[in-house]
Amino acid sequence: MSAFRYLIRALLVCSLLVPASATARKADAELPPIIDYRERFLPVVAREGMVVATERLAAEVGKRILQQGGNAVDAAVATGFALAVTYPRAGNLTGGGFMLIHLAAENRQVFIDYRETAPQAATRDMFLDENGEVDNKRAFSSHQSAGVPGTVAGLLHALEEHGTMSRKEVLAPAIELAEKGLTVSFSLNYEITARGQRLRGNPEALRLFFRPDGKAYDIGETWRQPDLAWTLRQIAENGRDGFYKGEVARRIAAEMEAGGGLITLEDLAAYRAVERTPIRGNFRGFEILSSPPPSSGGIHIVQMLNILSGYDLAGMGHNSAAYLHHLTEAMKLAYADRSKYLGDTDFVDVPVAALTDPAYAARQRRLIDPDKATPSVDILPGRVLAAESLDTTHYNVVDSRGNAVSNTYTLNASFGSAIAVPGTGMLLNNEMPDFALRPGHPNLFKLVQGESHAIEGGKRPVSSMSPTLVFRDGKLWLVTGSPGGSKIITIILQVLLNTTEFNMNAATAGISPRIHHQWLPDQLQAEQGISPDTVRLLREMGHDVVQSNRTFGRTHSIMLQDGRLYGATDTRRPEGWVAGY
């Protein structure tokens, strides 16, 4: 099928409203939507529990766990393992991420950091050639690209500490999907075909993802993954030791040795997920909880909200030139700080309290000219992080007891490094380029990173992944998150403003056109859908507006209101799914 026909089919899929299970569709027909019928997009409505994810089968797995009596954490872990089977471009066992949990009975929130770490043998200049230039192929597409995986440790830590079901119970659906096979969807066929050249470059990936004749599995065919089923079974039976020790670990280490990679048996055995304190902030009476370092998301979401709290944003009008100008200027200030101050707090002192202090925001607010753009070079000389992959995945879960999970995890690039570990069914991540490959110099994306982001053994690279919770009057009100690389922070910022400042429902908040500015390069990126008159006014104010044909991220949200759950996955990409009952 031609690329043009793929595009047309994708656009047709994206033009539809979010699909729902039969139960959720029935509930949607019975219950009035949140806010009013004038809204352009309506969320799916449920009463008891809900899973919002990027892929249907995995979302339904999570819903089934809830219906069997599991809590939100049980369902989130089951969904995460299922996505490793059904959504291989970003669902994974060998990547890493962040999970933010709300425990309703204790009114307590827990943040689990299971970001990958650099192998102990990693060095500051490991990706530089003999001329001191970055070797991008080695950095992005070699065995050395891989960080020590955190996903399995993170999901199991969440289950053991905060779940109610056994490993075998929550892993059983993923094992069944891998062993018995799944029907290839349009999206899965498209994703594998689109990355066919990369995947075919590795003999094991070729064997795993393509038919014996070398062609991608057609839509409607059954795709089985017996090696991945074997790996999942090792985890179900032996816990973290089934992945970080034993035969799975030996196969990873053997592939590393054969391909010149750095991850050893010792690196795998030493990996640990870490519980950290979430970032907290307040905006218009709403309490915001989001991701702490090594994520930069929570700090800068709160920082930007603090800056913007000094303006009558609603009076400016949603996505007006004045509104987008003030958002852009706040984004520049936050991203300038992002590179200078952020890092892994186990290695770098990050001034969290200072950056999220409303008094600091008030000082920064005075730097914003209400009538014209401030050039980035005049804001702060410094450093900005490398552009991150857009191919991350996010999902949310809320159960009948009020517990909630917001989880974001990734392999980095789509299908990671496209290097598979023989006998495991798994692709390696390529997270190492999230470090500064050459501190103080422009990278492949013409961005500069500072010394605090240099490679060190055991260190976790800074990320933009930002699973987020919002509380209203002390009660959980919104669970949200998105993929999108370095744009994740500004995506979540705009979802929060859409819901809190402009009273949008979860669906409309996610689908509304978005902008992004990350300080350097000094460009205001805008999705299609921003008014041409607004773009003209922004340019007259001095903004270099670049309208992109690509969409920014893909939000998944659940809003809790009036005893109901309102779920939405925005239509920027096909096959998002809301599973509620």
Side-chain angles (χ1 to χ4, degrees), residues 63-146:
K63 185 184 82 169
R64 190 159 73 245
I65 292 293
L66 292 178
Q67 291 174 317
Q68 292 171 357
N71 68 9
V73 175
D74 299 320
V77 173
T79 301
F81 280 119
L83 283 168
V85 182
T86 65
Y87 195 68
R89 65 182 287 183
N92 67 87
L93 302 181
T94 59
F98 304 128
M99 181 181 287
L100 182 56
I101 304 170
H102 171 62
L103 301 170
E106 307 169 48
N107 194 25
R108 181 168 69 93
Q109 294 78 43
V110 175
F111 181 85
I112 300 175
D113 167 10
Y114 59 96
R115 182 75 160 138
E116 304 88 343
T117 59
Q120 286 299 326
T123 60
R124 184 181 187 276
D125 299 328
M126 61 183 285
F127 294 115
L128 302 185
D129 62 20
E130 62 273 11
N131 298 316
E133 299 295 326
V134 174
D135 182 339
N136 286 305
K137 183 176 181 180
R138 181 149 49 94
F140 289 88
S141 303
S142 77
H143 290 72
Q144 292 184 16
S145 307

Coordinates of all heavy atoms in Angstrom, one line a residue, residues 63-146:
K63 N -9.0 -2.7 31.9 CA -10.3 -2.7 32.4 C -10.8 -4.1 33.0 O -11.4 -4.1 34.0 CB -11.3 -2.4 31.2 CG -12.7 -2.2 31.6 CD -13.6 -1.9 30.5 CE -14.0 -3.2 29.7 NZ -15.1 -3.0 28.8
R64 N -10.3 -5.2 32.3 CA -10.7 -6.5 32.8 C -10.1 -6.7 34.2 O -10.7 -7.3 35.1 CB -10.2 -7.6 31.8 CG -10.7 -8.9 32.1 CD -10.6 -9.8 30.9 NE -9.3 -10.3 30.6 CZ -8.6 -9.9 29.5 NH1 -9.2 -9.1 28.6 NH2 -7.4 -10.3 29.2
I65 N -8.9 -6.3 34.4 CA -8.3 -6.4 35.8 C -9.1 -5.6 36.8 O -9.3 -6.1 37.9 CB -6.8 -5.9 35.7 CG1 -5.9 -6.8 34.9 CG2 -6.3 -5.7 37.2 CD1 -5.7 -8.2 35.5
L66 N -9.6 -4.4 36.5 CA -10.4 -3.7 37.4 C -11.7 -4.4 37.7 O -12.2 -4.5 38.8 CB -10.8 -2.3 36.8 CG -9.6 -1.3 36.6 CD1 -10.1 0.0 35.9 CD2 -9.0 -1.0 38.0
Q67 N -12.3 -5.0 36.6 CA -13.6 -5.7 36.8 C -13.4 -7.0 37.6 O -14.3 -7.5 38.3 CB -14.2 -6.1 35.4 CG -14.7 -4.9 34.7 CD -15.1 -5.2 33.3 OE1 -14.5 -5.9 32.6 NE2 -16.3 -4.6 32.9
Q68 N -12.2 -7.5 37.7 CA -11.9 -8.7 38.5 C -11.6 -8.3 39.9 O -11.3 -9.2 40.7 CB -10.7 -9.4 37.9 CG -11.0 -10.1 36.5 CD -9.7 -10.7 35.8 OE1 -8.6 -10.5 36.4 NE2 -9.9 -11.3 34.7
G69 N -11.6 -7.1 40.3 CA -11.4 -6.6 41.6 C -10.1 -6.0 41.9 O -9.8 -5.6 43.0
G70 N -9.2 -5.9 40.9 CA -7.9 -5.3 41.1 C -8.1 -3.8 41.2 O -9.1 -3.2 40.9
N71 N -7.1 -3.2 41.8 CA -7.1 -1.7 42.0 C -6.4 -1.0 40.8 O -6.0 -1.7 39.8 CB -6.5 -1.3 43.3 CG -5.0 -1.5 43.4 OD1 -4.3 -1.8 42.4 ND2 -4.5 -1.3 44.6
A72 N -6.3 0.3 40.8 CA -5.8 1.0 39.7 C -4.3 0.7 39.4 O -3.9 0.6 38.2 CB -5.9 2.5 40.0
V73 N -3.6 0.4 40.4 CA -2.2 0.0 40.2 C -2.1 -1.4 39.5 O -1.3 -1.6 38.6 CB -1.4 0.0 41.6 CG1 0.0 -0.6 41.4 CG2 -1.4 1.4 42.2
D74 N -2.9 -2.4 40.0 CA -2.9 -3.7 39.3 C -3.2 -3.5 37.8 O -2.6 -4.1 37.0 CB -4.0 -4.5 39.9 CG -3.8 -4.8 41.4 OD1 -2.7 -5.1 41.8 OD2 -4.8 -4.8 42.2
A75 N -4.2 -2.7 37.5 CA -4.6 -2.5 36.1 C -3.5 -1.7 35.4 O -3.3 -2.0 34.2 CB -5.9 -1.7 36.1
A76 N -2.9 -0.8 36.0 CA -1.8 0.0 35.3 C -0.6 -1.0 35.0 O 0.0 -0.9 33.9 CB -1.3 1.1 36.2
V77 N -0.3 -1.8 35.9 CA 0.8 -2.8 35.7 C 0.4 -3.7 34.5 O 1.2 -4.0 33.6 CB 1.2 -3.5 37.0 CG1 2.2 -4.6 36.7 CG2 1.7 -2.5 38.0
A78 N -0.8 -4.3 34.6 CA -1.2 -5.2 33.5 C -1.2 -4.5 32.2 O -0.8 -5.1 31.2 CB -2.6 -5.7 33.9
T79 N -1.7 -3.2 32.1 CA -1.7 -2.5 30.9 C -0.3 -2.2 30.4 O 0.0 -2.3 29.2 CB -2.4 -1.1 31.1 OG1 -3.8 -1.3 31.6 CG2 -2.4 -0.3 29.8
G80 N 0.6 -1.9 31.3 CA 2.0 -1.7 30.9 C 2.6 -2.9 30.3 O 3.3 -2.8 29.2
F81 N 2.4 -4.1 30.9 CA 3.0 -5.3 30.3 C 2.3 -5.6 29.0 O 2.9 -6.1 28.0 CB 2.9 -6.4 31.3 CG 4.0 -6.4 32.4 CD1 3.6 -6.3 33.7 CD2 5.3 -6.5 32.0 CE1 4.6 -6.3 34.7 CE2 6.3 -6.5 33.0 CZ 6.0 -6.4 34.3
A82 N 1.0 -5.4 28.9 CA 0.3 -5.7 27.7 C 0.7 -4.8 26.5 O 0.8 -5.3 25.4 CB -1.2 -5.5 27.9
L83 N 1.0 -3.5 26.8 CA 1.5 -2.6 25.7 C 2.8 -3.1 25.2 O 3.2 -2.8 24.0 CB 1.6 -1.2 26.3 CG 0.3 -0.4 26.4 CD1 0.5 0.8 27.2 CD2 -0.3 -0.1 25.0
A84 N 3.6 -3.8 26.0 CA 4.9 -4.3 25.5 C 4.6 -5.3 24.4 O 5.5 -5.5 23.5 CB 5.7 -5.0 26.6
V85 N 3.4 -5.9 24.3 CA 3.1 -6.9 23.3 C 2.3 -6.2 22.1 O 2.6 -6.5 21.0 CB 2.1 -8.0 23.9 CG1 1.8 -9.0 22.8 CG2 2.8 -8.7 25.1
T86 N 1.4 -5.3 22.5 CA 0.5 -4.8 21.5 C 1.0 -3.5 20.8 O 0.5 -3.1 19.8 CB -0.9 -4.6 22.1 OG1 -0.8 -3.5 23.1 CG2 -1.4 -5.8 22.7
Y87 N 1.9 -2.8 21.5 CA 2.3 -1.5 21.0 C 3.9 -1.4 21.0 O 4.5 -0.6 21.8 CB 1.7 -0.4 21.9 CG 1.8 1.0 21.3 CD1 1.1 1.4 20.2 CD2 2.6 2.0 21.9 CE1 1.1 2.7 19.7 CE2 2.6 3.3 21.4 CZ 1.9 3.6 20.3 OH 1.9 4.9 19.8
P88 N 4.5 -2.2 20.2 CA 6.0 -2.3 20.3 C 6.8 -1.1 20.0 O 8.0 -1.0 20.4 CB 6.3 -3.5 19.3 CG 5.2 -3.4 18.4 CD 4.0 -3.0 19.1
R89 N 6.2 -0.1 19.4 CA 7.0 1.1 19.0 C 7.4 1.9 20.3 O 8.4 2.6 20.3 CB 6.2 2.0 18.1 CG 5.0 2.6 18.7 CD 4.2 3.5 17.7 NE 4.9 4.8 17.4 CZ 4.4 5.7 16.7 NH1 3.2 5.5 16.0 NH2 5.0 6.9 16.5
A90 N 6.6 1.7 21.4 CA 6.9 2.5 22.6 C 6.6 1.6 23.9 O 7.2 1.8 24.9 CB 6.1 3.8 22.7
G91 N 5.5 0.8 23.8 CA 5.3 -0.2 24.9 C 6.6 -1.1 25.0 O 7.2 -1.4 24.0
N92 N 6.9 -1.4 26.3 CA 8.3 -2.1 26.4 C 8.5 -2.8 27.7 O 7.8 -2.5 28.7 CB 9.3 -1.0 26.2 CG 9.3 0.0 27.4 OD1 10.0 -0.3 28.4 ND2 8.6 1.1 27.2
L93 N 9.5 -3.6 27.7 CA 10.1 -4.2 28.9 C 11.5 -3.6 29.1 O 12.1 -3.7 30.2 CB 10.2 -5.7 28.8 CG 8.9 -6.5 28.6 CD1 9.2 -8.0 28.5 CD2 7.9 -6.2 29.6
T94 N 12.1 -3.1 28.1 CA 13.5 -2.7 28.1 C 13.7 -1.2 28.2 O 14.9 -0.7 28.0 CB 14.3 -3.2 26.9 OG1 13.7 -2.8 25.7 CG2 14.3 -4.8 26.9
G95 N 12.7 -0.4 28.3 CA 12.8 1.1 28.4 C 12.7 1.5 29.9 O 13.2 0.9 30.8
G96 N 12.0 2.7 30.0 CA 11.9 3.2 31.4 C 10.9 4.3 31.4 O 10.3 4.7 30.3
G97 N 10.5 4.8 32.6 CA 9.5 5.8 32.7 C 9.2 6.3 34.1 O 10.0 6.1 35.0
F98 N 8.0 6.9 34.2 CA 7.6 7.4 35.5 C 6.1 7.1 35.7 O 5.3 7.1 34.8 CB 7.7 9.0 35.5 CG 9.1 9.5 35.2 CD1 9.3 10.5 34.2 CD2 10.2 9.0 35.9 CE1 10.5 11.0 33.9 CE2 11.5 9.5 35.6 CZ 11.6 10.5 34.6
M99 N 5.8 6.7 37.0 CA 4.4 6.4 37.4 C 4.1 7.3 38.6 O 4.8 7.3 39.6 CB 4.3 5.0 37.7 CG 2.9 4.6 38.1 SD 2.7 2.8 38.6 CE 2.8 2.0 37.0
L100 N 2.9 8.0 38.4 CA 2.4 8.8 39.5 C 1.1 8.2 40.0 O 0.2 8.0 39.2 CB 2.2 10.3 39.0 CG 1.6 11.3 40.0 CD1 2.5 11.4 41.3 CD2 1.5 12.7 39.4
I101 N 1.0 7.9 41.3 CA -0.1 7.1 41.9 C -0.8 8.0 42.9 O -0.2 8.6 43.8 CB 0.4 5.8 42.5 CG1 1.2 5.0 41.5 CG2 -0.8 5.0 43.1 CD1 1.9 3.8 42.2
H102 N -2.1 7.9 42.9 CA -2.9 8.5 44.0 C -3.6 7.4 44.7 O -4.4 6.6 44.1 CB -4.0 9.4 43.4 CG -5.0 9.9 44.4 ND1 -4.7 10.6 45.6 CD2 -6.4 9.7 44.5 CE1 -5.7 10.9 46.3 NE2 -6.8 10.3 45.7
L103 N -3.3 7.3 46.0 CA -3.9 6.3 46.9 C -5.0 6.9 47.7 O -4.8 7.7 48.6 CB -2.8 5.7 47.8 CG -1.6 5.0 47.1 CD1 -0.5 4.7 48.0 CD2 -2.1 3.8 46.3
A104 N -6.3 6.6 47.3 CA -7.4 7.4 47.8 C -7.6 7.2 49.3 O -7.9 8.2 50.1 CB -8.7 7.0 47.1
A105 N -7.5 6.0 49.8 CA -7.8 5.7 51.2 C -6.8 6.4 52.1 O -7.2 6.9 53.2 CB -7.7 4.2 51.5
E106 N -5.6 6.6 51.7 CA -4.6 7.3 52.5 C -4.5 8.8 52.1 O -3.7 9.5 52.7 CB -3.2 6.6 52.3 CG -3.2 5.2 52.6 CD -1.9 4.5 52.2 OE1 -0.8 5.0 52.5 OE2 -2.0 3.5 51.5
N107 N -5.2 9.2 51.0 CA -5.0 10.5 50.5 C -3.5 10.8 50.3 O -3.0 11.9 50.7 CB -5.7 11.6 51.3 CG -5.8 12.9 50.6 OD1 -5.8 12.9 49.3 ND2 -5.9 14.0 51.3
R108 N -2.8 9.9 49.7 CA -1.4 10.0 49.5 C -1.0 9.8 48.1 O -1.6 9.0 47.4 CB -0.7 9.0 50.4 CG 0.8 9.0 50.4 CD 1.4 8.2 51.5 NE 1.1 6.7 51.4 CZ 2.0 5.9 50.8 NH1 3.2 6.3 50.3 NH2 1.7 4.6 50.8
Q109 N 0.1 10.5 47.6 CA 0.5 10.3 46.2 C 2.0 9.8 46.3 O 2.8 10.2 47.1 CB 0.5 11.6 45.5 CG -0.9 12.2 45.3 CD -1.5 12.8 46.5 OE1 -0.8 13.6 47.2 NE2 -2.8 12.6 46.8
V110 N 2.2 8.9 45.3 CA 3.5 8.2 45.2 C 4.0 8.4 43.8 O 3.3 8.2 42.8 CB 3.4 6.7 45.6 CG1 4.7 6.0 45.3 CG2 2.9 6.5 47.0
F111 N 5.3 8.8 43.7 CA 5.9 8.9 42.4 C 7.0 7.8 42.3 O 7.9 7.8 43.1 CB 6.5 10.3 42.2 CG 7.2 10.5 40.8 CD1 6.4 10.8 39.7 CD2 8.5 10.2 40.6 CE1 7.0 11.0 38.5 CE2 9.1 10.4 39.4 CZ 8.3 10.8 38.3
I112 N 6.9 7.0 41.2 CA 8.0 5.9 41.0 C 8.8 6.3 39.8 O 8.3 6.4 38.7 CB 7.3 4.5 40.8 CG1 6.5 4.2 42.1 CG2 8.4 3.5 40.6 CD1 5.7 2.9 41.9
D113 N 10.1 6.5 40.0 CA 11.0 6.8 39.0 C 11.7 5.5 38.5 O 12.4 4.8 39.3 CB 12.1 7.7 39.5 CG 13.3 7.9 38.7 OD1 13.3 7.4 37.5 OD2 14.3 8.5 39.1
Y114 N 11.4 5.0 37.3 CA 12.0 3.9 36.8 C 12.7 4.2 35.4 O 12.7 3.4 34.5 CB 11.1 2.7 36.7 CG 9.8 2.8 35.8 CD1 9.8 2.4 34.5 CD2 8.7 3.4 36.4 CE1 8.7 2.5 33.7 CE2 7.5 3.5 35.6 CZ 7.5 3.1 34.3 OH 6.4 3.2 33.5
R115 N 13.3 5.4 35.4 CA 14.1 5.9 34.3 C 15.3 5.0 34.1 O 15.9 4.5 35.1 CB 14.5 7.3 34.5 CG 15.2 8.0 33.4 CD 14.4 8.4 32.3 NE 15.0 9.4 31.5 CZ 15.0 9.4 30.1 NH1 14.4 8.5 29.5 NH2 15.5 10.4 29.5
E116 N 15.7 4.8 32.9 CA 17.0 4.0 32.6 C 18.2 4.7 33.3 O 18.2 5.9 33.5 CB 17.2 3.8 31.1 CG 16.1 3.2 30.4 CD 15.0 4.2 29.9 OE1 15.0 5.4 30.4 OE2 14.2 3.9 29.0
T117 N 19.2 3.9 33.5 CA 20.5 4.5 34.0 C 21.6 4.2 33.0 O 21.5 3.2 32.2 CB 20.9 3.9 35.3 OG1 21.0 2.5 35.2 CG2 19.8 4.2 36.4
A118 N 22.6 5.0 33.0 CA 23.8 4.7 32.2 C 24.6 3.5 32.8 O 24.7 3.4 34.0 CB 24.7 5.9 32.2
P119 N 25.0 2.6 31.9 CA 25.9 1.5 32.4 C 27.1 2.1 33.1 O 27.6 3.2 32.8 CB 26.3 0.8 31.1 CG 25.3 1.2 30.1 CD 24.9 2.6 30.4
Q120 N 27.6 1.3 34.1 CA 28.8 1.8 34.8 C 30.0 2.0 33.9 O 30.8 2.9 34.3 CB 29.1 0.7 35.9 CG 28.2 0.7 37.1 CD 28.1 2.1 37.8 OE1 29.1 2.8 37.9 NE2 26.9 2.4 38.3
A121 N 30.1 1.3 32.8 CA 31.3 1.5 31.9 C 31.1 2.8 31.0 O 32.0 3.1 30.3 CB 31.5 0.3 31.1
A122 N 29.9 3.4 31.1 CA 29.7 4.6 30.2 C 30.6 5.7 30.6 O 30.9 5.9 31.8 CB 28.2 5.0 30.3
T123 N 31.1 6.5 29.6 CA 32.0 7.6 29.9 C 31.5 8.9 29.2 O 30.7 8.8 28.2 CB 33.4 7.3 29.3 OG1 33.3 7.1 27.9 CG2 34.0 6.1 30.0
R124 N 32.0 10.0 29.6 CA 31.5 11.3 29.2 C 31.6 11.5 27.7 O 30.7 12.1 27.1 CB 32.4 12.4 29.9 CG 32.1 13.8 29.6 CD 33.0 14.7 30.4 NE 32.7 16.1 30.3 CZ 33.0 16.9 29.3 NH1 33.6 16.4 28.3 NH2 32.6 18.2 29.4
D125 N 32.7 11.0 27.1 CA 32.9 11.2 25.6 C 32.7 10.0 24.8 O 33.3 9.9 23.7 CB 34.3 11.7 25.4 CG 34.6 13.1 26.2 OD1 33.6 13.8 26.3 OD2 35.7 13.3 26.6
M126 N 31.9 9.0 25.2 CA 31.8 7.7 24.6 C 31.2 7.8 23.2 O 31.5 6.9 22.4 CB 31.0 6.8 25.4 CG 29.6 7.2 25.7 SD 28.7 6.0 26.8 CE 28.4 4.7 25.6
F127 N 30.5 8.9 22.8 CA 30.0 8.9 21.5 C 30.7 9.9 20.6 O 30.2 10.3 19.5 CB 28.5 9.3 21.6 CG 27.6 8.3 22.3 CD1 27.0 8.5 23.5 CD2 27.5 7.0 21.7 CE1 26.2 7.6 24.1 CE2 26.7 6.1 22.3 CZ 26.1 6.3 23.5
L128 N 31.9 10.3 21.0 CA 32.7 11.2 20.1 C 33.7 10.4 19.3 O 34.3 9.4 19.7 CB 33.5 12.2 21.0 CG 32.6 13.1 21.9 CD1 33.5 14.1 22.6 CD2 31.5 13.8 21.2
D129 N 33.9 10.9 18.0 CA 34.8 10.2 17.1 C 36.2 10.8 17.4 O 36.4 11.6 18.3 CB 34.4 10.3 15.7 CG 34.3 11.7 15.2 OD1 34.9 12.6 15.8 OD2 33.6 12.0 14.1
E130 N 37.2 10.4 16.5 CA 38.5 10.8 16.7 C 38.7 12.3 16.5 O 39.7 12.9 17.0 CB 39.5 10.0 15.7 CG 39.2 10.2 14.3 CD 38.1 9.3 13.7 OE1 37.5 8.6 14.6 OE2 37.9 9.2 12.5
N131 N 37.7 12.9 15.9 CA 37.8 14.4 15.7 C 37.0 15.2 16.7 O 36.9 16.4 16.6 CB 37.3 14.7 14.3 CG 38.1 14.1 13.2 OD1 39.3 14.1 13.2 ND2 37.4 13.6 12.2
G132 N 36.5 14.5 17.7 CA 35.7 15.1 18.7 C 34.3 15.4 18.4 O 33.6 16.2 19.1
E133 N 33.8 14.9 17.2 CA 32.5 15.1 16.8 C 31.6 13.9 17.2 O 32.1 12.8 17.3 CB 32.4 15.3 15.3 CG 33.2 16.4 14.7 CD 32.7 17.8 15.2 OE1 31.4 17.9 15.3 OE2 33.5 18.7 15.4
V134 N 30.3 14.2 17.4 CA 29.4 13.2 17.8 C 29.1 12.2 16.6 O 28.8 12.6 15.5 CB 28.0 13.8 18.2 CG1 27.0 12.7 18.5 CG2 28.2 14.6 19.5
D135 N 29.3 10.9 16.9 CA 29.0 9.8 16.0 C 27.5 9.5 16.2 O 27.2 8.7 17.1 CB 29.9 8.6 16.3 CG 29.7 7.5 15.3 OD1 28.6 7.4 14.7 OD2 30.6 6.6 15.2
N136 N 26.7 10.0 15.4 CA 25.2 9.9 15.6 C 24.7 8.5 15.4 O 23.8 8.0 16.1 CB 24.5 10.9 14.7 CG 24.6 12.3 15.2 OD1 24.2 12.6 16.3 ND2 25.1 13.2 14.3
K137 N 25.3 7.7 14.5 CA 24.9 6.4 14.3 C 25.2 5.5 15.6 O 24.4 4.7 16.0 CB 25.6 5.7 13.1 CG 25.1 4.3 12.8 CD 25.8 3.8 11.5 CE 25.3 2.4 11.3 NZ 25.9 1.8 10.0
R138 N 26.3 5.7 16.1 CA 26.7 5.0 17.4 C 25.8 5.4 18.5 O 25.4 4.6 19.4 CB 28.2 5.2 17.7 CG 28.7 4.5 18.9 CD 30.1 4.1 18.8 NE 30.9 5.2 18.3 CZ 31.6 6.0 19.2 NH1 31.5 5.8 20.5 NH2 32.4 7.0 18.7
A139 N 25.5 6.7 18.5 CA 24.7 7.3 19.7 C 23.3 6.8 19.6 O 22.7 6.6 20.7 CB 24.8 8.8 19.6
F140 N 22.7 6.7 18.4 CA 21.2 6.4 18.3 C 20.9 5.0 17.9 O 19.8 4.5 18.1 CB 20.6 7.4 17.3 CG 20.5 8.8 17.9 CD1 21.6 9.7 17.7 CD2 19.4 9.3 18.5 CE1 21.5 11.0 18.1 CE2 19.3 10.6 19.0 CZ 20.4 11.4 18.8
S141 N 21.8 4.3 17.2 CA 21.5 3.1 16.6 C 22.5 1.9 16.8 O 22.6 1.1 16.0 CB 21.3 3.3 15.1 OG 20.3 4.3 14.8
S142 N 23.1 1.9 17.9 CA 24.1 0.9 18.3 C 23.7 0.3 19.6 O 22.9 0.8 20.3 CB 25.5 1.4 18.3 OG 25.7 2.2 19.5
H143 N 24.4 -0.8 19.9 CA 24.2 -1.4 21.3 C 24.6 -0.4 22.4 O 24.1 -0.5 23.5 CB 25.1 -2.7 21.4 CG 24.6 -3.8 20.5 ND1 24.7 -3.8 19.1 CD2 23.9 -5.0 20.9 CE1 24.2 -4.9 18.7 NE2 23.7 -5.7 19.7
Q144 N 25.5 0.5 22.1 CA 25.9 1.5 23.1 C 24.8 2.5 23.4 O 24.9 3.2 24.4 CB 27.2 2.1 22.7 CG 28.4 1.2 22.7 CD 29.7 1.9 22.4 OE1 29.8 3.1 22.5 NE2 30.8 1.1 22.1
S145 N 23.8 2.5 22.5 CA 22.7 3.5 22.7 C 21.9 3.2 23.9 O 21.1 4.0 24.4 CB 21.8 3.5 21.5 OG 22.5 3.7 20.3
A146 N 21.9 1.9 24.4 CA 21.0 1.4 25.4 C 21.4 1.8 26.8 O 22.6 1.6 27.2 CB 20.8 -0.1 25.3

